[in-house]
C-alpha cells in the first residue's frame, strides 16, 4: 500500500486567510486527488492533480479558491484561499495504488475557520 | 453523472446480530470500494471488488459485487461493538488500468449496541 503523509493534520484559521495543505507519497504516482469532507457528510472530489499539467476541477470548485500544485510525482499541495467558516472541513488527498486498482487516503487535514 | 446510493444511512443494531448494507450505483463500473471511517479519522480501505460475482471476506465483514445489477453489499456477521463506524462504498467509473476519480456514497453510520 502507498504511504501518504499529509500536513498539517489540523489547523484553526482566521477567516480571510489561506492555508496550504501538503501531501507527500512514498512512491511515484500519476494522479493525486483532493477531497473535501464537510462535517457529517461524505467525501466530495475537489480536483484531480496530474504532474506537469493544470489540475482538473469538479463542478462547484474553482482554481482561484482551491489552487493546486503538482511539482513532481510524489508531492502535491492544495491551498484553501480566502477562507470562510463554510470551508471548515476535513481535506484528504488520495492516490492510486501500485496495482492501479486501489485507492489510498492520507490521514486528512481537519480545518476549522473562525 | 454517476450516482452512488447507500442504504441504510444509519443503522443501530445489537451485538451478535447480522445485517447488510446496500450500495447501488448508476453506471457501469469495474471497481467498487468499501471503506471504514472512525470518528475524526481518515479512511481505512476494507475491500476492493473488481469483477462481477466478486466476494471478499475479512473477519466478520463480507463484501460482494453484482455488476449486472450494479449492486454491492457489505454483510456483517455476529456484530461486535468494535465494528461501530461509518462505512462508505465508492465507485470508480473508469475502465481499464489506472483509476479516475472515485465517487462516494453518503455513508452508513453503524452503531452497535452492547
Amino acid at each position: 500500500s502507498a504511504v501518504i503523509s499529509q500536513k498539517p493534520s489540523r489547523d484553526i484559521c482566521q477567516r480571510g486567510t489561506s492555508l496550504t495543505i501538503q501531501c507527500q507519497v512514498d512512491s511515484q504516482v500519476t494522479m493525486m486527488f483532493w477531497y473535501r469532507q464537510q462535517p457529517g457528510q461524505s467525501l466530495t472530489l475537489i480536483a484531480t492533480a496530474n504532474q506537469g499539467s493544470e489540475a482538473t476541477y469538479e463542478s462547484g470548485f474553482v482554481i482561484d479558491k482551491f489552487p493546486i500544485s503538482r511539482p513532481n510525482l510524489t508531492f502535491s499541495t492544495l491551498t484553501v484561499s480566502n477562507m470562510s467558516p463554510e470551508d471548515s472541513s476535513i481535506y484528504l488527498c488520495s492516490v492510486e495504488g501500485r496495482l492501479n486498482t486501489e485507492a489510498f487516503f492520507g490521514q486528512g487535514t481537519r480545518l476549522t475557520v473562525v | 453523472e454517476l450516482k452512488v446510493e447507500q442504504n441504510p444511512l444509519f443503522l443501530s443494531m445489537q451485538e451478535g446480530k447480522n445485517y447488510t448494507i446496500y450500495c447501488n450505483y448508476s453506471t457501469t463500473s469495474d471497481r467498487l470500494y468499501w471503506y471504514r471511517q472512525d470518528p475524526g479519522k481518515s479512511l481505512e480501505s476494507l475491500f476492493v471488488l473488481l469483477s462481477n460475482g466478486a466476494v471478499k471476506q475479512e473477519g466478520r465483514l463480507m463484501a460482494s459485487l453484482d455488476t449486472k445489477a450494479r449492486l454491492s453489499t457489505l454483510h456483517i456477521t455476529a456484530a461486535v461493538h468494535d465494528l461501530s463506524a461509518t462505512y462508505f462504498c465508492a465507485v470508480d467509473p473508469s475502465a481499464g488500468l489506472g483509476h479516475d476519480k472515485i465517487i462516494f456514497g453518503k455513508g452508513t453510520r453503524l452503531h452497535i449496541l452492547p
Side-chain angles (χ1 to χ4, degrees):
Chain A
S1 63
V3 177
I4 305 171
S5 174
Q6 205 174 318
K7 295 180 183 179
S9 59
R10 58 178 62 223
D11 207 342
I12 301 173
C13 300
Q14 296 289 326
R15 67 177 68 202
T17 63
S18 299
L19 176 72
T20 296
I21 303 167
Q22 299 180 2
C23 182
Q24 178 77 51
V25 190
D26 69 340
S27 58
Q28 294 183 340
V29 293
T30 304
M31 290 189 287
M32 297 178 75
F33 305 86
W34 287 97
Y35 289 83
R36 180 177 73 182
Q37 186 177 26
Q38 294 175 301
Q41 303 296 314
S42 184
L43 282 78
T44 301
L45 181 67
I46 298 171
T48 302
N50 288 330
Q51 192 267 336
S53 63
E54 282 197 4
T56 303
Y57 288 82
E58 296 299 306
S59 175
F61 297 97
V62 295
I63 188 171
D64 289 346
K65 176 67 176 177
F66 297 101
I68 288 172
S69 77
R70 183 80 200 274
N72 57 54
L73 291 174
T74 63
F75 187 78
S76 178
T77 66
L78 169 76
T79 298
V80 186
S81 303
N82 188 25
M83 287 183 285
S84 66
E86 291 71 34
D87 294 320
S88 298
S89 295
I90 298 174
Y91 293 86
L92 300 105
C93 69
S94 171
V95 303
E96 60 186 347
R98 293 186 178 87
L99 296 178
N100 295 325
T101 56
E102 300 174 271
F104 299 100
F105 287 81
Q107 60 267 54
T109 296
R110 182 180 293 270
L111 171 62
T112 302
V113 184
V114 296
Chain B
E1 179 187 347
L2 173 62
K3 293 186 179 180
V4 181
E5 294 186 355
Q6 272 180 253
N7 71 85
L9 298 182
F10 182 81
L11 177 58
S12 181
M13 55 192 293
Q14 296 284 338
E15 275 193 328
K17 299 292 186 181
N18 303 333
Y19 210 82
T20 300
I21 301 170
Y22 297 89
C23 176
N24 288 93
Y25 54 97
S26 60
T27 64
T28 302
S29 171
D30 291 334
R31 299 181 195 120
L32 190 135
Y33 306 84
W34 284 98
Y35 290 91
R36 168 179 172 152
Q37 187 178 40
D38 292 296
K41 301 292 181 63
S42 186
L43 298 173
E44 174 190 355
S45 178
L46 295 174
F47 301 108
V48 181
L49 302 171
L50 301 175
S51 61
N52 187 43
V55 177
K56 291 192 176 181
Q57 183 165 3
E58 182 72 33
R60 300 175 187 274
L61 301 178
M62 183 174 70
S64 66
L65 177 62
D66 181 344
T67 57
K68 294 180 181 178
R70 297 177 184 168
L71 170 69
S72 179
T73 61
L74 180 66
H75 187 73
I76 303 154
T77 302
V80 294
H81 181 67
D82 287 350
L83 290 178
S84 296
T86 299
Y87 293 85
F88 291 97
C89 72
V91 174
D92 177 357
S94 65
L97 292 177
H99 84 245
D100 201 344
K101 57 189 178 185
I102 295 174
I103 308 300
F104 280 80
K106 291 187 176 181
T108 297
R109 188 174 297 181
L110 177 63
H111 182 54
I112 298 173
L113 303 170

